[in-house]
Amino acid sequence: MGQKINPLGFRLGITQNHRSYWFAKPKKYSKVFEEDKKIRDCIELYVQKHIKNSSNYGGIARVEIKRKTDLIQVEIYTGFPALLVESRGQGIEQLKLNVQNILSSGDRRLRMTLIEIAKPYGEPNILAEYIALQLESRVAFRRTMKKAIELAKKGNIKGIKIQIAGRLNGAEIARVEWAREGRVPLQTIRARINYCYYAAQTIYGVLGIKVWIFQDEE
Amino acid sequence: MAALPMKPGKVGVEEATETIHRIRITLSSKNVKNLEKVCADLIRGAKDKRLKVKGPVRMPTKVLRVTTRKSPCGEGTNTWDGFELRVHKRVIDLHSPPEVVKKITSITIEPGVEVEVTIADV
């Protein structure tokens, strides 16, 4: 039996855009790449420290980074922008400052924008975070999966599949359970499928959550 | 006034500081469509300013290949992943003062296209 390729990577030329879009000559490529990673880590850290607590999740679907010659454009796609914009008028100033401190040379301008997603539970990242939160509060996993599918169906999606692996309900023997609604054609390249993997940390160990959402064809 | 040494039509208070330089613009990118778009924009911008333009010279595409085993261990049939990064390069030559060039290049920049400007002596 074969194993499945990551549906995001599979569709990169078609129906899926790169999340980091820039060009660098081979000599500087690794430095720019490292910087990208630092930016994403910084954003993730900020979200973790300030927003995540037992009843809230970060709600960031993806971070897109585009570089022009002297401008770095960071677009944060979020389902709940109100969580990231803390106080009136300040907006994401704090986050922007943090990221600016990380970037080494200051001769490049940084432009950070928050983009709101219309139906947040149509994005697998946000859905996976929701599931993780439920599992960490020891809700039964089958109920969580069903609830997550309900939430996702409110947006217009054509199919969704959720897979949870690990010590489900604290059992001693780990297993894999999945639930599917609609159709998720992983072999069809022109199908727009969004995918996310998220790890939920429970007291029994790590539960791996994989979410595939089939949005539309082409 | 026969003693006027000046050329007609040039008020010689400031010498024309715009010496024509030979400027080479090198555009590189992974993405052909964006690259061609920036090329066309640059050439159009230069033609509007009546500069002498040597059209986009397309350098051969460099393909950077990384071939790795798919397997994390050594077991199984030897399947290989062949990742590639294709670098497309275009060269545009202009004869123009450098300030005008700065203006043109600052207008047309797309993400993912690297623009390098070298001046003269080539």
Side-chain angles (χ1 to χ4, degrees), chain A residues 5 18 20-26 28-29 65-70 73, chain B residues 28-31 34 64 85-87 89 109-116:
Chain A
I5 189 179
H18 289 261
S20 285
Y21 193 60
W22 41 264
F23 177 80
K25 294 247 170 73
K28 290 205 286 207
Y29 200 93
I65 302 183
K66 295 194 171 72
R67 286 166 192 267
K68 304 186 184 180
T69 330
D70 57 347
Q73 228 172 318
Chain B
S28 348
S29 169
K30 289 190 289 201
N31 181 337
N34 277 8
L64 310 172
L85 191 110
R86 297 191 178 176
V87 181
K89 193 157 132 178
I109 296 188
E110 283 218 13
V113 179
E114 180 176 305
V115 181
E116 267 177 4

Short mmCIF file of all heavy atoms in Angstrom, two decimals, chain A residues 5 18 20-26 28-29 65-70 73, chain B residues 28-31 34 64 85-87 89 109-116:
data_model
loop_
_atom_site.label_atom_id
_atom_site.label_comp_id
_atom_site.label_asym_id
_atom_site.label_seq_id
_atom_site.Cartn_x
_atom_site.Cartn_y
_atom_site.Cartn_z
N ILE A 5 0.63 11.68 -0.15
CA ILE A 5 1.45 12.87 -0.21
C ILE A 5 0.64 14.03 0.36
O ILE A 5 -0.58 14.03 0.32
CB ILE A 5 1.86 13.15 -1.66
CG1 ILE A 5 2.87 14.25 -1.72
CG2 ILE A 5 0.67 13.47 -2.49
CD1 ILE A 5 3.33 14.55 -3.10
N HIS A 18 1.86 29.43 -3.24
CA HIS A 18 2.91 29.34 -2.24
C HIS A 18 2.59 30.29 -1.10
O HIS A 18 2.06 31.37 -1.31
CB HIS A 18 4.25 29.76 -2.84
CG HIS A 18 4.77 28.76 -3.81
ND1 HIS A 18 5.72 27.84 -3.49
CD2 HIS A 18 4.47 28.55 -5.11
CE1 HIS A 18 5.99 27.11 -4.55
NE2 HIS A 18 5.25 27.51 -5.54
N SER A 20 4.94 31.49 0.89
CA SER A 20 6.01 32.48 0.88
C SER A 20 6.36 32.70 -0.56
O SER A 20 6.69 31.76 -1.27
CB SER A 20 7.26 31.94 1.57
OG SER A 20 7.09 31.93 2.93
N TYR A 21 6.26 33.95 -1.00
CA TYR A 21 6.44 34.18 -2.43
C TYR A 21 7.56 35.19 -2.59
O TYR A 21 7.35 36.38 -2.44
CB TYR A 21 5.14 34.71 -3.01
CG TYR A 21 5.12 34.68 -4.50
CD1 TYR A 21 5.27 33.50 -5.19
CD2 TYR A 21 4.97 35.85 -5.22
CE1 TYR A 21 5.26 33.47 -6.55
CE2 TYR A 21 4.95 35.83 -6.59
CZ TYR A 21 5.10 34.63 -7.25
OH TYR A 21 5.09 34.62 -8.60
N TRP A 22 8.76 34.71 -2.86
CA TRP A 22 9.87 35.62 -3.10
C TRP A 22 10.94 34.90 -3.90
O TRP A 22 10.86 33.71 -4.12
CB TRP A 22 10.46 36.14 -1.78
CG TRP A 22 10.60 35.16 -0.69
CD1 TRP A 22 9.72 34.94 0.32
CD2 TRP A 22 11.68 34.24 -0.44
NE1 TRP A 22 10.18 33.97 1.16
CE2 TRP A 22 11.38 33.52 0.71
CE3 TRP A 22 12.87 33.97 -1.12
CZ2 TRP A 22 12.22 32.56 1.24
CZ3 TRP A 22 13.71 33.00 -0.61
CH2 TRP A 22 13.38 32.31 0.57
N PHE A 23 11.90 35.68 -4.34
CA PHE A 23 13.00 35.09 -5.08
C PHE A 23 14.29 35.55 -4.44
O PHE A 23 14.42 36.70 -4.05
CB PHE A 23 12.98 35.54 -6.54
CG PHE A 23 14.13 35.00 -7.31
CD1 PHE A 23 14.11 33.70 -7.78
CD2 PHE A 23 15.27 35.76 -7.53
CE1 PHE A 23 15.18 33.19 -8.47
CE2 PHE A 23 16.34 35.25 -8.23
CZ PHE A 23 16.29 33.96 -8.70
N ALA A 24 15.24 34.66 -4.32
CA ALA A 24 16.55 35.05 -3.80
C ALA A 24 17.58 34.21 -4.53
O ALA A 24 17.31 33.07 -4.90
CB ALA A 24 16.63 34.80 -2.31
N LYS A 25 18.73 34.81 -4.76
CA LYS A 25 19.77 34.05 -5.44
C LYS A 25 20.27 32.97 -4.48
O LYS A 25 20.18 33.11 -3.28
CB LYS A 25 20.92 34.98 -5.82
CG LYS A 25 20.52 36.00 -6.85
CD LYS A 25 21.25 35.73 -8.15
CE LYS A 25 20.72 36.55 -9.28
NZ LYS A 25 21.10 37.96 -9.14
N PRO A 26 20.84 31.90 -5.01
CA PRO A 26 21.23 30.79 -4.14
C PRO A 26 22.11 31.17 -2.97
O PRO A 26 22.04 30.57 -1.91
CB PRO A 26 21.97 29.86 -5.09
CG PRO A 26 21.32 30.09 -6.39
CD PRO A 26 20.95 31.54 -6.41
N LYS A 28 21.98 33.84 -1.08
CA LYS A 28 21.27 34.44 0.04
C LYS A 28 20.02 33.65 0.40
O LYS A 28 19.28 34.04 1.29
CB LYS A 28 20.86 35.86 -0.33
CG LYS A 28 22.02 36.80 -0.41
CD LYS A 28 21.55 38.20 -0.16
CE LYS A 28 20.81 38.64 -1.39
NZ LYS A 28 20.77 40.04 -1.67
N TYR A 29 19.76 32.59 -0.31
CA TYR A 29 18.47 31.90 -0.15
C TYR A 29 18.26 31.44 1.28
O TYR A 29 17.19 31.63 1.86
CB TYR A 29 18.42 30.70 -1.10
CG TYR A 29 17.04 30.22 -1.39
CD1 TYR A 29 16.36 30.68 -2.49
CD2 TYR A 29 16.42 29.31 -0.56
CE1 TYR A 29 15.09 30.26 -2.77
CE2 TYR A 29 15.16 28.87 -0.82
CZ TYR A 29 14.50 29.34 -1.94
OH TYR A 29 13.24 28.92 -2.20
N ILE A 65 3.91 35.49 3.13
CA ILE A 65 5.01 36.46 3.12
C ILE A 65 5.42 36.70 1.67
O ILE A 65 5.73 35.77 0.95
CB ILE A 65 6.21 35.93 3.92
CG1 ILE A 65 5.78 35.64 5.35
CG2 ILE A 65 7.33 36.93 3.90
CD1 ILE A 65 6.90 35.18 6.21
N LYS A 66 5.40 37.96 1.30
CA LYS A 66 5.83 38.31 -0.05
C LYS A 66 6.95 39.32 0.07
O LYS A 66 6.86 40.25 0.86
CB LYS A 66 4.69 38.96 -0.83
CG LYS A 66 3.52 38.06 -1.09
CD LYS A 66 2.64 38.69 -2.15
CE LYS A 66 1.57 37.77 -2.62
NZ LYS A 66 0.51 37.52 -1.67
N ARG A 67 7.99 39.16 -0.71
CA ARG A 67 9.08 40.11 -0.62
C ARG A 67 9.31 40.80 -1.95
O ARG A 67 9.42 40.16 -2.98
CB ARG A 67 10.38 39.37 -0.25
CG ARG A 67 10.42 38.95 1.16
CD ARG A 67 11.53 37.96 1.34
NE ARG A 67 11.44 37.32 2.61
CZ ARG A 67 12.07 37.74 3.70
NH1 ARG A 67 12.85 38.80 3.63
NH2 ARG A 67 11.93 37.11 4.83
N LYS A 68 9.36 42.10 -1.89
CA LYS A 68 9.84 42.86 -3.02
C LYS A 68 11.21 43.39 -2.63
O LYS A 68 11.73 43.07 -1.58
CB LYS A 68 8.89 44.01 -3.33
CG LYS A 68 7.50 43.53 -3.56
CD LYS A 68 6.63 44.66 -4.01
CE LYS A 68 5.21 44.20 -4.14
NZ LYS A 68 4.34 45.27 -4.58
N THR A 69 11.79 44.23 -3.48
CA THR A 69 13.19 44.59 -3.26
C THR A 69 13.44 45.18 -1.88
O THR A 69 14.40 44.87 -1.22
CB THR A 69 13.65 45.60 -4.31
OG1 THR A 69 12.92 45.37 -5.49
CG2 THR A 69 15.12 45.41 -4.58
N ASP A 70 12.55 46.10 -1.44
CA ASP A 70 12.85 46.67 -0.13
C ASP A 70 11.63 46.62 0.77
O ASP A 70 11.51 47.37 1.72
CB ASP A 70 13.29 48.12 -0.29
CG ASP A 70 12.23 48.92 -1.02
OD1 ASP A 70 11.32 48.29 -1.59
OD2 ASP A 70 12.31 50.15 -1.01
N GLN A 73 6.09 42.05 2.88
CA GLN A 73 4.65 42.12 3.11
C GLN A 73 4.22 40.85 3.82
O GLN A 73 4.38 39.75 3.28
CB GLN A 73 3.95 42.18 1.76
CG GLN A 73 2.93 43.23 1.65
CD GLN A 73 2.45 43.32 0.23
OE1 GLN A 73 3.24 43.25 -0.69
NE2 GLN A 73 1.17 43.47 0.07
N SER B 28 15.53 38.44 -12.38
CA SER B 28 15.49 36.98 -12.18
C SER B 28 14.26 36.61 -11.38
O SER B 28 13.81 37.37 -10.53
CB SER B 28 16.71 36.45 -11.44
OG SER B 28 17.71 37.39 -11.35
N SER B 29 13.75 35.43 -11.66
CA SER B 29 12.56 35.01 -10.92
C SER B 29 12.36 33.52 -11.09
O SER B 29 12.95 32.89 -11.96
CB SER B 29 11.35 35.76 -11.44
OG SER B 29 10.18 35.19 -10.94
N LYS B 30 11.50 32.97 -10.24
CA LYS B 30 11.12 31.57 -10.39
C LYS B 30 9.92 31.43 -11.30
O LYS B 30 9.57 30.35 -11.73
CB LYS B 30 10.72 31.00 -9.02
CG LYS B 30 11.86 30.82 -8.09
CD LYS B 30 11.44 30.05 -6.88
CE LYS B 30 10.55 30.86 -5.97
NZ LYS B 30 10.55 30.32 -4.61
N ASN B 31 9.24 32.53 -11.51
CA ASN B 31 7.92 32.49 -12.12
C ASN B 31 7.96 33.23 -13.44
O ASN B 31 8.28 34.42 -13.48
CB ASN B 31 6.97 33.17 -11.14
CG ASN B 31 5.55 33.18 -11.63
OD1 ASN B 31 5.30 33.07 -12.81
ND2 ASN B 31 4.65 33.32 -10.69
N ASN B 34 5.14 36.34 -14.08
CA ASN B 34 5.43 37.62 -13.43
C ASN B 34 6.65 38.28 -14.06
O ASN B 34 6.70 39.50 -14.24
CB ASN B 34 5.72 37.40 -11.94
CG ASN B 34 4.44 37.31 -11.16
OD1 ASN B 34 3.38 37.27 -11.75
ND2 ASN B 34 4.56 37.29 -9.85
N LEU B 64 17.97 24.18 -10.78
CA LEU B 64 18.71 23.69 -9.62
C LEU B 64 17.98 22.45 -9.12
O LEU B 64 16.84 22.52 -8.72
CB LEU B 64 18.74 24.76 -8.53
CG LEU B 64 19.18 26.13 -9.01
CD1 LEU B 64 18.99 27.13 -7.90
CD2 LEU B 64 20.62 26.11 -9.43
N LEU B 85 14.28 23.82 -8.83
CA LEU B 85 13.98 25.24 -8.74
C LEU B 85 14.46 25.84 -10.06
O LEU B 85 15.64 25.78 -10.37
CB LEU B 85 14.74 25.86 -7.57
CG LEU B 85 14.32 27.27 -7.22
CD1 LEU B 85 13.61 27.24 -5.92
CD2 LEU B 85 15.49 28.18 -7.10
N ARG B 86 13.53 26.39 -10.81
CA ARG B 86 13.92 26.93 -12.12
C ARG B 86 14.10 28.42 -12.00
O ARG B 86 13.16 29.13 -11.62
CB ARG B 86 12.84 26.64 -13.14
CG ARG B 86 12.67 25.18 -13.34
CD ARG B 86 11.82 24.86 -14.51
NE ARG B 86 11.77 23.42 -14.64
CZ ARG B 86 11.02 22.80 -15.52
NH1 ARG B 86 10.29 23.50 -16.34
NH2 ARG B 86 11.03 21.49 -15.58
N VAL B 87 15.27 28.91 -12.37
CA VAL B 87 15.55 30.34 -12.30
C VAL B 87 15.56 30.89 -13.71
O VAL B 87 16.38 30.47 -14.54
CB VAL B 87 16.92 30.60 -11.63
CG1 VAL B 87 17.16 32.07 -11.54
CG2 VAL B 87 16.93 29.98 -10.26
N LYS B 89 15.99 34.18 -16.24
CA LYS B 89 16.73 35.44 -16.17
C LYS B 89 16.54 36.20 -17.47
O LYS B 89 16.65 35.64 -18.54
CB LYS B 89 18.21 35.12 -15.95
CG LYS B 89 19.03 36.28 -15.57
CD LYS B 89 20.27 35.77 -14.86
CE LYS B 89 21.49 36.41 -15.41
NZ LYS B 89 22.70 35.99 -14.75
N ILE B 109 7.46 46.83 -9.67
CA ILE B 109 8.10 45.74 -8.92
C ILE B 109 7.01 44.79 -8.50
O ILE B 109 6.01 45.20 -7.94
CB ILE B 109 8.84 46.25 -7.68
CG1 ILE B 109 9.98 47.16 -8.10
CG2 ILE B 109 9.38 45.09 -6.91
CD1 ILE B 109 10.86 47.52 -6.94
N GLU B 110 7.21 43.54 -8.78
CA GLU B 110 6.25 42.54 -8.31
C GLU B 110 6.96 41.65 -7.31
O GLU B 110 8.16 41.47 -7.41
CB GLU B 110 5.78 41.69 -9.50
CG GLU B 110 4.80 42.40 -10.35
CD GLU B 110 3.73 41.46 -10.84
OE1 GLU B 110 3.65 40.34 -10.32
OE2 GLU B 110 3.00 41.86 -11.73
N PRO B 111 6.21 41.08 -6.40
CA PRO B 111 6.89 40.17 -5.46
C PRO B 111 7.39 38.96 -6.21
O PRO B 111 6.75 38.48 -7.14
CB PRO B 111 5.79 39.77 -4.49
CG PRO B 111 4.54 40.01 -5.22
CD PRO B 111 4.78 41.16 -6.11
N GLY B 112 8.55 38.49 -5.85
CA GLY B 112 9.05 37.29 -6.49
C GLY B 112 9.92 37.57 -7.69
O GLY B 112 10.38 36.64 -8.33
N VAL B 113 10.14 38.83 -8.05
CA VAL B 113 11.04 39.13 -9.16
C VAL B 113 12.17 39.98 -8.60
O VAL B 113 11.93 41.00 -7.96
CB VAL B 113 10.33 39.92 -10.28
CG1 VAL B 113 11.30 40.22 -11.39
CG2 VAL B 113 9.18 39.12 -10.81
N GLU B 114 13.40 39.54 -8.84
CA GLU B 114 14.53 40.31 -8.32
C GLU B 114 15.10 41.16 -9.43
O GLU B 114 15.35 40.68 -10.54
CB GLU B 114 15.61 39.36 -7.79
CG GLU B 114 16.78 40.09 -7.24
CD GLU B 114 17.77 39.14 -6.64
OE1 GLU B 114 17.37 38.36 -5.76
OE2 GLU B 114 18.94 39.15 -7.06
N VAL B 115 15.28 42.43 -9.12
CA VAL B 115 15.75 43.39 -10.13
C VAL B 115 17.13 43.86 -9.72
O VAL B 115 17.33 44.33 -8.62
CB VAL B 115 14.80 44.59 -10.21
CG1 VAL B 115 15.27 45.56 -11.25
CG2 VAL B 115 13.40 44.12 -10.50
N GLU B 116 18.09 43.73 -10.64
CA GLU B 116 19.45 44.23 -10.34
C GLU B 116 19.85 45.20 -11.41
O GLU B 116 19.73 44.91 -12.61
CB GLU B 116 20.44 43.06 -10.36
CG GLU B 116 20.63 42.47 -9.00
CD GLU B 116 21.56 41.29 -9.10
OE1 GLU B 116 22.08 41.02 -10.20
OE2 GLU B 116 21.76 40.67 -8.06
#
